[in-house]
Amino acid sequence: MKRLLMLFVALFAFFGLTAVLHGSGNDYDYTVRFTAYFDEENEIDVELDGNFGDIVTFDDENWDDDYEFAFFIVDGRARPELPLNHAFRILGDMEIEAISSPKNQHAVVFIDTNVELIEVKYVADGGNLEEPDVTYTEYTKPNYTAITTAEDRWYDPVTGDTSGTLANITASGVRVLRYEIDEESEYVLTVTEGEKLTPPNGVIDEERYIYNTVVEVKAAEPREDEKFSHWEVEGEVVSYAETHKLSVVEDTTITAVYVPDDVTVDRDVPLVTIRDVPLRDPEKTYLMQFYLPDGHELVDYGLLQTTDQGDDTLVFENDDHRVSARKHVGETREFIMSTNEDITAVKAYIVTAVGENLHYTYSRQVNFRLFGDGTAENPIEINNWNDLNSIRNEEAAFDPDQTIHFKLTSNLDKTTAGYNTHASETANADKGWEPLGYPDKRFTGHFDGDGHIIEDLVINRPDSDNVGLFGHVGVSRSRSVTVIENLYMKDADVTGNRGTGALIGRVTGNQATIVRNVGVIDSTVSGTGATGGLIGSFNSFATRGAADRNPRLQEAFVEVVEVEGRGGEDLDRTFEKIAGLVGCSQKGSISDSYALATVTITDAAADRVGVLVGCNVLRGRLERSYAAGTINLESDAFATTNVGILIGMTDANSVLNATYYDQQLDTHPGVGSHPDGIAGVTGFNTDDMQGEAAATNMGGLDFAEMWMTTTEYPRLKASEDFFTD
């Protein structure tokens, strides 16, 4: 018979809490179901409604002295660490169970390592427990299975005991299911600009670790006039703490990033990152990690998910999207979650409280392709920003031993699905677009823009290298071909550090790396070195050999593009390789290309500055191309060297053939620095390079097949539709 106790005369207390919902200000009605279990026969149920952000508490002053509170179970998860008077924030419909036991008995909850409830058992003081009657082979997690022998299967998280935990029970408590490694795996952890502090176990050698080993890393001492900023994994900021911990679950490179002393680093903003890790097939598995500044209390965390590929509303307020996580690793602040094959997009979230305010922090959004199989005959279709972002989830796009094909099927701009999430000025914690490809994960696929335009792209990553729509591109061997072609950009606003361009931050490839029929107009690009309006750095892996091993840039242009080489207060540093088209071509081949651009150097010395190319060196080739524009040197503090309209600097190992520049718009020479006897460069006045006069004077350009005259400067025939549409 159920006992009716006057347990909670003042059982539930609600206190208003101001919720910060990104300006929405909406209230959400939720139901909270409380069940108090006193023993195996007695329980009390209470249901009440509350609004989002309200706080619910038990009134522990009215607790019956005949019973001992043991723990809470919240939405099916055991929470033995919570006291009876814990303040629960309402974040959705909730089911809260308060487990108690009579004074002469004890309640023991059996859970797995995800805090998933297996069973609650009651036992007399000093008695022995029988373990739950379940099939333990069904309890698995990536690379682990439940221990098969009953006497070793459970451990007590309070005492740390791993044997004898079911005998002589003298207190209520928790028993956690133990696992053993199913298949021992080894992974490499690489630390750049920092060091690894030796973990207590799991070490194989200086680089390799057993799966799931927790490793602590520490940033190196900063160079003079610099300071530590943050840690990055795959281009994402994972922590602002100089000492950081992470679990090794795949081959990983973590990099400490440093910035000049005068740069402000905001460490008071929470962040959460998401990585796709290959742990469960066919499910998708994600490793999330969050950073909490001082003063932020963790309230909730998990995944937002959808089955709608075009859904751009993955926000916490949508209950249909939200799945709370079951637990996180306290010392690393990581948690792992999996989704089924129907899910097409996910985003990690954390909710934190500062006083009476709730704050919502999101990771980047991860999307999956729906159309195409990646072959040349059936390329993966890119229809919106969500699809474009999903390229980073295709492992084949970063595998140099194969070529996966993508095709842009429509123009992308600020009205296209996914823009606010991925490419706007507020995307990715105000950093804008996250570039595709990193030094240890270069893009090696085939991207065909099919003549479409990517418009309104914003990137604001002044402390990051290799910044652009594509971050780092290229193959080191020719078993596959990397191609980016038939793509135009407009109204881009891109800011990076070294290796910055609107289209590509850095190319490091060979003759199988090809960029052709591409262009950027009406855009601004800012960087500190190797910065160009189209491409920042254009280089070859091959240090020896002839120019036939160079990566190739063909039929490329920039028009009305402003490129800035910036310095700030760090005036002792020289900022080099800044240009309108390509910051520097080292062992690269550029042909049939042009730049109509303005290049500005602010607050710093500069070296190798040009309207077309900053430098063309080390067997670089520049052919059938021209430049027209101006170079503004705003710094009075230092002299600026190697400045030219066509090229800032070239050398004796490089080739210039049929190249031209407008000598009337700017007083700088065509080539800033060059060996004696340089040929292949001609300067003209503006009128001589425009209209029909261009075909007569610039005879090295192929006006029959490749080029066409206009009322102004010549243009490429391949881009005719772009300028006439």
Coordinates of all heavy atoms in Angstrom, one line a residue, residues 191-197 215-223 226-232 239-246 254-259 267:
V191 N 52.0 17.4 -31.3 CA 51.9 18.7 -30.6 C 52.8 19.7 -31.3 O 54.0 19.5 -31.4 CB 52.2 18.7 -29.1 CG1 52.0 20.0 -28.5 CG2 51.3 17.6 -28.4
T192 N 52.2 20.8 -31.8 CA 53.0 21.8 -32.5 C 53.1 23.1 -31.6 O 52.0 23.5 -31.1 CB 52.4 22.2 -33.9 OG1 52.2 21.0 -34.7 CG2 53.2 23.2 -34.6
E193 N 54.2 23.6 -31.5 CA 54.5 24.8 -30.6 C 54.1 24.5 -29.2 O 53.6 25.4 -28.5 CB 53.7 26.0 -31.2 CG 54.0 26.4 -32.6 CD 55.4 27.0 -32.7 OE1 55.9 27.5 -31.6 OE2 55.9 27.1 -33.8
G194 N 54.3 23.3 -28.7 CA 54.1 23.0 -27.3 C 54.7 21.7 -27.0 O 55.5 21.1 -27.8
E195 N 54.4 21.2 -25.8 CA 55.0 19.9 -25.3 C 53.9 19.0 -24.7 O 52.9 19.5 -24.2 CB 56.1 20.2 -24.3 CG 55.7 20.9 -23.1 CD 56.8 21.0 -22.1 OE1 57.6 20.1 -21.9 OE2 56.9 22.1 -21.4
K196 N 54.2 17.7 -24.7 CA 53.3 16.8 -24.0 C 53.8 16.5 -22.6 O 55.0 16.2 -22.4 CB 53.2 15.5 -24.8 CG 52.4 15.6 -26.1 CD 52.5 14.4 -27.0 CE 53.7 14.4 -27.9 NZ 53.7 13.4 -28.9
L197 N 52.9 16.6 -21.7 CA 53.2 16.2 -20.3 C 52.9 14.7 -20.2 O 51.7 14.3 -20.5 CB 52.5 17.0 -19.3 CG 52.7 18.5 -19.5 CD1 51.9 19.3 -18.4 CD2 54.2 18.9 -19.4
V215 N 45.9 12.9 -22.5 CA 47.2 13.5 -22.5 C 47.1 15.0 -22.2 O 46.2 15.7 -22.7 CB 47.9 13.3 -23.9 CG1 49.2 14.0 -24.0 CG2 48.0 11.9 -24.3
E216 N 48.0 15.5 -21.4 CA 48.1 16.9 -21.1 C 49.1 17.6 -21.9 O 50.3 17.1 -22.0 CB 48.3 17.1 -19.6 CG 48.3 18.5 -19.1 CD 48.4 18.7 -17.6 OE1 49.0 17.7 -17.0 OE2 48.0 19.7 -17.1
V217 N 48.8 18.7 -22.5 CA 49.7 19.4 -23.4 C 49.9 20.8 -22.8 O 49.0 21.4 -22.1 CB 49.3 19.5 -24.8 CG1 49.2 18.2 -25.5 CG2 47.9 20.2 -24.9
K218 N 51.1 21.4 -23.0 CA 51.5 22.7 -22.4 C 52.1 23.5 -23.5 O 52.9 23.1 -24.3 CB 52.5 22.5 -21.3 CG 52.8 23.8 -20.6 CD 53.8 23.6 -19.5 CE 54.2 24.9 -18.8 NZ 55.2 24.7 -17.7
A219 N 51.6 24.8 -23.6 CA 52.2 25.7 -24.7 C 53.6 26.0 -24.4 O 54.1 26.1 -23.2 CB 51.3 27.0 -24.7
A220 N 54.4 26.2 -25.5 CA 55.8 26.5 -25.3 C 55.9 28.0 -24.9 O 55.0 28.8 -24.9 CB 56.5 26.3 -26.7
E221 N 57.1 28.3 -24.5 CA 57.4 29.7 -24.1 C 57.2 30.6 -25.4 O 57.8 30.2 -26.4 CB 58.8 29.9 -23.6 CG 58.9 29.4 -22.1 CD 58.1 30.1 -21.1 OE1 58.0 31.4 -21.3 OE2 57.5 29.5 -20.2
P222 N 56.4 31.7 -25.3 CA 56.3 32.5 -26.5 C 57.5 33.2 -27.0 O 58.4 33.4 -26.2 CB 55.2 33.5 -26.1 CG 55.3 33.6 -24.6 CD 55.7 32.2 -24.2
R223 N 57.6 33.5 -28.2 CA 58.7 34.3 -28.8 C 58.6 35.7 -28.3 O 57.6 36.1 -27.8 CB 58.8 34.2 -30.3 CG 59.1 32.8 -30.8 CD 59.0 32.7 -32.3 NE 57.6 32.7 -32.8 CZ 56.9 31.6 -32.9 NH1 57.5 30.4 -32.7 NH2 55.7 31.7 -33.4
E226 N 55.5 38.3 -28.4 CA 54.3 37.5 -28.6 C 53.8 36.9 -27.3 O 54.5 36.8 -26.3 CB 54.6 36.3 -29.6 CG 54.8 36.8 -31.1 CD 54.9 35.7 -32.0 OE1 55.2 34.5 -31.6 OE2 54.7 35.9 -33.2
K227 N 52.5 36.4 -27.4 CA 51.9 35.7 -26.2 C 51.1 34.6 -26.7 O 50.6 34.6 -27.9 CB 51.1 36.7 -25.4 CG 49.9 37.3 -26.1 CD 49.2 38.3 -25.3 CE 48.0 39.0 -26.0 NZ 47.4 40.0 -25.2
F228 N 50.8 33.6 -25.8 CA 49.9 32.5 -26.2 C 48.5 33.0 -26.4 O 48.0 33.8 -25.6 CB 50.0 31.5 -25.1 CG 49.0 30.4 -25.2 CD1 49.2 29.3 -26.1 CD2 47.8 30.4 -24.4 CE1 48.2 28.3 -26.2 CE2 46.9 29.4 -24.6 CZ 47.1 28.4 -25.5
S229 N 47.9 32.5 -27.4 CA 46.5 32.8 -27.7 C 45.5 31.6 -27.3 O 44.7 31.8 -26.5 CB 46.3 33.2 -29.1 OG 44.9 33.4 -29.4
H230 N 45.8 30.5 -28.0 CA 44.8 29.4 -27.9 C 45.4 28.1 -28.5 O 46.4 28.1 -29.2 CB 43.5 29.7 -28.5 CG 43.6 30.0 -30.0 ND1 43.8 31.3 -30.5 CD2 43.6 29.2 -31.1 CE1 43.9 31.2 -31.8 NE2 43.8 30.0 -32.2
W231 N 44.7 27.0 -28.2 CA 45.0 25.7 -28.9 C 44.0 25.5 -30.0 O 42.9 25.8 -29.9 CB 44.9 24.6 -27.9 CG 46.0 24.5 -26.9 CD1 45.9 25.0 -25.6 CD2 47.3 24.0 -27.0 NE1 47.1 24.7 -24.9 CE2 47.9 24.1 -25.8 CE3 48.0 23.4 -28.0 CZ2 49.2 23.7 -25.5 CZ3 49.3 22.9 -27.8 CH2 49.9 23.1 -26.6
E232 N 44.5 24.9 -31.1 CA 43.7 24.6 -32.3 C 43.8 23.1 -32.6 O 44.9 22.5 -32.6 CB 44.1 25.4 -33.5 CG 43.6 26.8 -33.5 CD 43.9 27.6 -34.8 OE1 44.4 26.9 -35.7 OE2 43.6 28.8 -34.9
S239 N 40.7 25.5 -26.8 CA 40.9 26.0 -25.5 C 41.7 27.3 -25.5 O 42.6 27.5 -26.3 CB 41.6 24.9 -24.6 OG 41.8 25.4 -23.3
Y240 N 41.5 28.1 -24.5 CA 42.3 29.3 -24.3 C 43.3 29.1 -23.1 O 44.0 30.0 -22.7 CB 41.4 30.5 -24.0 CG 40.6 30.9 -25.2 CD1 39.2 30.7 -25.3 CD2 41.2 31.6 -26.3 CE1 38.5 31.1 -26.4 CE2 40.5 31.9 -27.4 CZ 39.1 31.7 -27.4 OH 38.4 32.1 -28.5
A241 N 43.3 27.9 -22.5 CA 44.2 27.6 -21.4 C 45.5 27.1 -21.9 O 45.6 26.3 -22.8 CB 43.5 26.6 -20.5
E242 N 46.6 27.6 -21.3 CA 47.9 27.3 -21.7 C 48.2 25.8 -21.5 O 48.9 25.2 -22.3 CB 49.0 28.1 -21.0 CG 48.9 29.6 -21.4 CD 50.1 30.4 -20.8 OE1 51.2 29.8 -20.6 OE2 49.9 31.5 -20.5
T243 N 47.6 25.2 -20.5 CA 47.7 23.8 -20.2 C 46.4 23.2 -20.5 O 45.4 23.6 -20.0 CB 48.1 23.5 -18.8 OG1 49.4 24.1 -18.5 CG2 48.3 22.0 -18.5
H244 N 46.4 22.1 -21.3 CA 45.1 21.6 -21.9 C 45.2 20.1 -21.9 O 46.2 19.5 -22.1 CB 44.9 22.2 -23.3 CG 43.7 21.6 -24.0 ND1 42.4 21.9 -23.6 CD2 43.6 20.8 -25.1 CE1 41.6 21.2 -24.4 NE2 42.3 20.6 -25.3
K245 N 44.0 19.4 -21.7 CA 44.0 18.0 -21.7 C 43.0 17.5 -22.8 O 42.0 18.2 -23.1 CB 43.5 17.4 -20.4 CG 44.5 17.5 -19.3 CD 44.0 16.9 -18.0 CE 45.0 16.9 -16.9 NZ 44.6 16.3 -15.6
L246 N 43.3 16.4 -23.5 CA 42.5 15.8 -24.5 C 42.6 14.3 -24.5 O 43.7 13.8 -24.1 CB 42.8 16.4 -25.8 CG 44.1 16.0 -26.5 CD1 44.0 16.2 -28.0 CD2 45.3 16.8 -26.0
I254 N 47.5 18.9 -32.5 CA 47.0 20.0 -31.8 C 48.1 21.1 -31.8 O 49.3 20.8 -31.6 CB 46.6 19.7 -30.3 CG1 46.1 20.9 -29.6 CG2 47.8 19.0 -29.6 CD1 45.4 20.5 -28.3
T255 N 47.7 22.3 -32.0 CA 48.7 23.4 -32.3 C 48.5 24.6 -31.3 O 47.3 25.0 -31.1 CB 48.6 23.9 -33.7 OG1 48.8 22.8 -34.6 CG2 49.6 25.0 -34.0
A256 N 49.5 25.0 -30.7 CA 49.4 26.2 -29.9 C 49.7 27.4 -30.8 O 50.6 27.5 -31.5 CB 50.5 26.2 -28.8
V257 N 48.8 28.4 -30.6 CA 48.8 29.6 -31.5 C 49.2 30.8 -30.7 O 48.7 31.0 -29.6 CB 47.4 29.8 -32.2 CG1 47.4 31.1 -33.0 CG2 47.0 28.6 -33.0
Y258 N 50.1 31.6 -31.2 CA 50.6 32.8 -30.5 C 50.3 34.0 -31.4 O 50.2 34.0 -32.6 CB 52.1 32.7 -30.3 CG 52.5 31.4 -29.5 CD1 52.6 30.2 -30.2 CD2 52.7 31.5 -28.2 CE1 53.0 29.1 -29.4 CE2 53.0 30.4 -27.4 CZ 53.2 29.2 -28.1 OH 53.5 28.1 -27.4
V259 N 50.1 35.1 -30.7 CA 49.8 36.4 -31.3 C 50.7 37.5 -30.8 O 51.3 37.3 -29.7 CB 48.3 36.8 -31.1 CG1 47.4 35.7 -31.7 CG2 48.0 36.9 -29.6
R267 N 39.4 35.6 -23.4 CA 39.3 34.3 -22.8 C 38.0 34.1 -22.0 O 37.9 33.1 -21.3 CB 40.5 34.0 -21.9 CG 41.9 34.2 -22.7 CD 43.0 33.9 -21.8 NE 44.3 34.4 -22.3 CZ 45.0 33.8 -23.2 NH1 44.6 32.6 -23.6 NH2 46.1 34.3 -23.7

